[in-house]
Amino acid sequence: MTEHSYLIVLLPAFSFLMIVFFLRWKEKIASLFSIAMIVTSLIMSISVLFETIARNGEAYTASFTMAQLGSFKLQLGLLIDPLTAMMLVVVTAIGTCVEIYSIGYMKDDPRFSRFFAYLSLFLFSMLGLVVSDNFFMTFIFWELVGLTSYLLIGFWFEKKSAADACKKAFLTTRVGDLGFLVGLLLIMYYTGTFNYEEVFAKIGMDVFPPAMLTLAAIGVFCGAIGKSAQFPLHTWLPDAMEGPTPVSAIVHSATMVAAGVYLTARAMTVFVASADASFFVAVIGVVTSLLAATIALVQVDIKRILAYSTVSQLGYMIMALGLYGYDTANGHHSPGFYAGTFHLMTHAFFKSLLFMGAGSVIHAVHTNDIRDMGGLLKKMPITAPTFLIGSLSIAGFPLTSGFFSKDEIVAATFGHPVFTVLTLLIAFMTAFYMWRLCFLTFFGKPRDEHRYEHAHESPKTMAYPLIFLAFMAVFVGWTGIPALSHGFASFVFHAEPYHPHADWMNYIVSSIVGLSGIGLAWLMYYKRKIDPDKLAERFKPIYTLFWNKWYFDELYDIIIVKPILAIGRFFWSFDANVVDGAVNGTAKVTLLWADLKWWFDRWIVDGAVNGCGWIVRAFGSLLKYIQSGRMQFYGLFILFFIVAAGIYKFESAYLNGWIFTDFLEVTTLFVILIGFLSYFAKTIVPESTTKPKREE
Amino acid sequence: MLPYIAVAAVLFSLGIFGVLTRRNTIGILMSLELMFNAVNINLVAFNKFVWTDALIGQMFAMFIIVVAAAEAVVGLAIVLLLYRNWQGINTDNINIMKW
C-alpha cells in the first residue's frame, strides 16, 4: 500500500475537481463523494501507518523529476517515514470527521458544494505538504494550504469581518513565508539540493558556515511562525475564526496550523545543527504560549478562547521541538522531539473535538458569547459530555491524551528551570480558561432564557464525529504510555529510538497543576466563591491588557498598517498630481496645438482657397458686364478689337515697335482695356431687365 | 478704281455705324444690307480692275445678293417674333442673354 500512497494525496484533489466540474449543483452527491474519497484516503493512510510500523520506521521514498536544470533537479516525491505516516492518519481522520460534521453544520448554506470542494482542496494541499520529500514541494503545498485557508476563512465573504480576516490571514502568513523562502534558498545555495534526506546528509558534512546555517534554520522557522501563528505573527489566527466552525476545527486548530510544527519537526536536523536557532525557536514557542494563554483567560467569545488556546498549544509544541534541538546540539538527551510531535497528534484530536463542540453549541444558541450561555448540559446530551472530555484532555486530566503528551513536554523542559516553571504556569492557565469556558457554557443557570429555551441538540451527522473524536481524545494518547515497549516514542523518534520512562514526580506535579486550574475555575465560575468581576476590578491594568490582546493589533496598526497606508496615500497623490498631471498636461497641449492647427486651417488654408474664389468672384463681378446680352455691344467690341489689332499690326510693321514693345505689355494693356470696357459697359447698360412677357 | 473702293468703304462704315447704333431692329437689318452691298461693290470692282480673266467677283456678288435675301427673310421673321413677344422691336429691351 505504501507504494500507492500518492493516491492518498490525489483522491481529495480528484474530489475537488469532480465537485467543481460535475457535482456543483448536486449537493448531496457532492458531499457524499468527497466523504467517500477522504474515507478511502483514511483507510489507505491507516494501512500505510501499519506498514511503516512493520518496517520499523524505515523511510520509504519515491520521486520523479519535474524539471532538470543543469545538474540540479526539481523533484516531486514521497517521503513516508513515521512522522509522515502519523500525520497522514491525523489529517485524514480529522478530515473525515469534519466533512461528516459539515453535512449538518453547513446545511442550507447556498454554497454547500463549494464548501466541500474547498475542504477537499485543502486536504489535498495538506496531505501533499505532509508526504513531500523536498523543501521545494513542501513550499508549493505550503502556499496551496495558505490559499485554501484564505478561501475557507473568507467563505462567508458577505460578512465584512470574514473578508477582512481572510485578507489578514493571507497577508500575515505571507510575511512568514518570505522568511521560509529565504531559508529554503540558503539551504539550496549551500547544499545544492532541496531533497530532505540529501540536505540532512550534507549538513553533517559541514558545507554550511555556522552563521548561515543559523540564518537558514531561522528562515525556515519564520515559515512556521507565520503558518503556526507564533509570536509575533499570531494575530491572524483568532480573526480566522470568522470562517465556518468546521474550517476552524480542521484548518485553524488541527492540521494547517500544525504545518508549522510539522515543518519544524521535519527539518529538525537543520535545527539540531544550530543551537542558537533552536534556542530562538524555543523562546518564540514559550513566549507565544504564555501570551496566548493570558489572552485566553479573559476572552468571552467561545471560538476566540479556543483560538488562543490553539496558539498557546502550538507554542508548546514549538517550544518542545526547540528545546530538543538545543539539548541535542549541546549533547544532551531530550524527549522534546517526541513530546512535540506527540502533542501535535493528541492536540489535533482534542482541539478539533472542542471546535466542533463549540460549533454545535453555536448552532444551538446562535451566539458566540459565553456570557449568554449557561446550563446547556441538560439541553445537549451529546455535545456537552464530549466537550467536557475534550476539556479534561486539554487540561491534562490524568489518563487522558493531553495528560500524556503534556507530561512529555514538561519532561522536555527539564534542565531549563525557567522553561519548566513557565510550562507549568501555562498548563495551569490552560486548565483554568478551558474550564471557565465549560462552567460558563454548560453549568449554572441559563443567563439568557430565550436562547436557552430554543437550544437543541445538533443533528446526528454532527454528533457522531464528536463521539468518535471524544474517544480519540482520551485514548490516542495511550499509544505514548511509557510502559509500551513499541509506543509512539520509539516509533516516531527522530534520530535514534527513544524509550521514555515513567516519571511519577512529573505525573503528580502535572496532575496537581491541571486539577488546581480546574478547581480554581470551579470556585470562581461554578461555586462563585471568588467574584471574577471583583478580581478583574482589582487587577484592572493587567485585565485590560489581556482583554485587548496585549494591544498587538493596535501596535501593528500603528507601526505597519498606518505607515503603509500613508505611503499608499503619498503614491496616490503622486499619481493624481504628477502622473495624471503629465497625462492631462499632454492632453491640454494637444488641445492647444489642435486649436492652433484649426486656426491655421481656417484662415490660411481655407483662406487661400476662399481667396482664390473671392478673386475669381471679384473679377467675375466686374467682367460679367461685358456679357450685356446686346448684340450691338458685342459688335462694337469686335470692331474695337479689329481696329486695335489693325493698329498693332500697323505699328509693328511700319513703326518698328515704337509704341508696343513686348507681348507682356500688350497683354497688360489688353486686360486693363477689358476692365475699362467692362466698367464702361456697366455704366451704359441698365441694371434692370425687362422680362419677356408672353402673349396670352 | 479708287472711287469704287471709296464708295464701298463709306458704305461699309455707314453700315457698321447703323448696326452698332440703331435701336430699331429693322434699321439694323437695313444697315446690314448696306454692308453687304459695300462688299458687293468691292468684289465687283476688284474683279473688274484686278482679276479680269474670270467673273468670280461678279458670281460671288450674285451669291451674296441671294444669301442676303434669304438672310433678310430670316431676320424679318425673327423681328416679327420679337414684336410678338416684346410688343416692340427696340433692342434696348431685348437683353435676356445678359449675365
Side-chain angles (χ1 to χ4, degrees), chain A residues 420-562:
Chain A
T420 313
V421 170
L422 287 176
T423 306
L424 289 172
L425 179 65
I426 294 160
F428 172 76
M429 287 196 285
T430 308
F432 173 76
Y433 65 69
M434 280 315 299
W435 279 87
R436 166 177 174 264
L437 172 63
C438 289
F439 285 126
L440 283 175
T441 308
F442 295 111
F443 297 97
K445 276 193 242 95
R447 280 176 295 280
D448 188 327
E449 283 296 340
H450 179 72
R451 291 188 192 283
Y452 180 76
E453 287 304 319
H454 289 82
H456 55 84
E457 184 53 276
S458 302
K460 285 193 178 108
T461 49
M462 287 166 74
Y464 287 145
L466 291 178
I467 295 168
F468 170 73
L469 286 173
F471 179 80
M472 293 302 278
V474 176
F475 294 110
V476 79
W478 289 22
T479 56
I481 292 174
L484 292 176
S485 60
H486 293 288
F488 189 88
S490 59
F491 169 60
V492 83
F493 202 71
H494 167 244
E496 66 236 46
Y498 177 79
H499 297 287
H501 51 93
D503 184 342
W504 294 104
M505 189 62 199
N506 183 1
Y507 286 171
I508 291 164
V509 171
S510 299
S511 305
I512 289 171
V513 167
L515 287 173
S516 59
I518 298 172
L520 183 63
W522 181 72
L523 278 177
M524 280 172 73
Y525 294 99
Y526 188 72
K527 281 287 177 190
R528 301 270 167 193
K529 291 275 189 209
I530 307 168
D531 190 351
D533 294 333
K534 268 189 194 151
L535 214 59
E537 197 60 40
R538 179 129 179 235
F539 298 100
K540 198 164 175 58
I542 297 177
Y543 180 82
T544 322
L545 186 66
F546 291 173
W547 175 255
N548 289 303
K549 306 149 201 164
W550 292 68
Y551 295 101
F552 268 105
D553 284 327
E554 287 78 2
L555 187 70
Y556 289 164
D557 195 48
I558 291 166
I559 64 170
I560 295 169
V561 178
K562 288 252 168 67

Side-chain angles (χ1 to χ4, degrees), chain A residues 624-625 627-636 639 685-695, chain B residues 12 16 18-24 28 81 83-87 91-99:
Chain A
K624 70 180 180 184
Y625 296 112
Q627 193 192 1
S628 62
R630 297 161 81 170
M631 294 308 292
Q632 289 172 306
F633 192 76
Y634 300 161
L636 187 64
L639 180 66
V685 176
E687 265 321 305
S688 62
T689 54
T690 310
K691 293 283 177 205
K693 293 176 198 151
R694 296 200 67 84
E695 266 181 280
Chain B
F12 191 81
I16 284 185
V19 165
L20 295 180
T21 56
R22 298 296 293 189
R23 289 288 178 269
N24 192 320
I28 291 171
L81 281 169
Y83 184 75
R84 284 197 192 155
N85 286 306
W86 271 268
Q87 280 81 37
T91 51
D92 281 349
N93 296 332
I94 306 159
N95 55 2
I96 54 165
M97 292 294 280
K98 214 174 155 186
W99 61 85

Side-chain angles (χ1 to χ4, degrees), chain B residues 45-64:
Chain B
F46 273 95
N47 193 101
K48 171 118 171 77
F49 294 103
V50 179
W51 196 271
T52 52
D53 299 352
L55 292 176
I56 300 168
Q58 277 89 334
M59 278 179 65
F60 215 86
M62 297 298 281
F63 268 112
I64 289 175

Side-chain angles (χ1 to χ4, degrees), chain A residues 657-672:
Chain A
W658 182 60
I659 303 172
F660 308 115
T661 50
D662 64 359
F663 179 73
L664 189 67
E665 215 171 48
V666 174
T667 314
T668 314
L669 206 66
F670 176 76
V671 169
I672 292 168

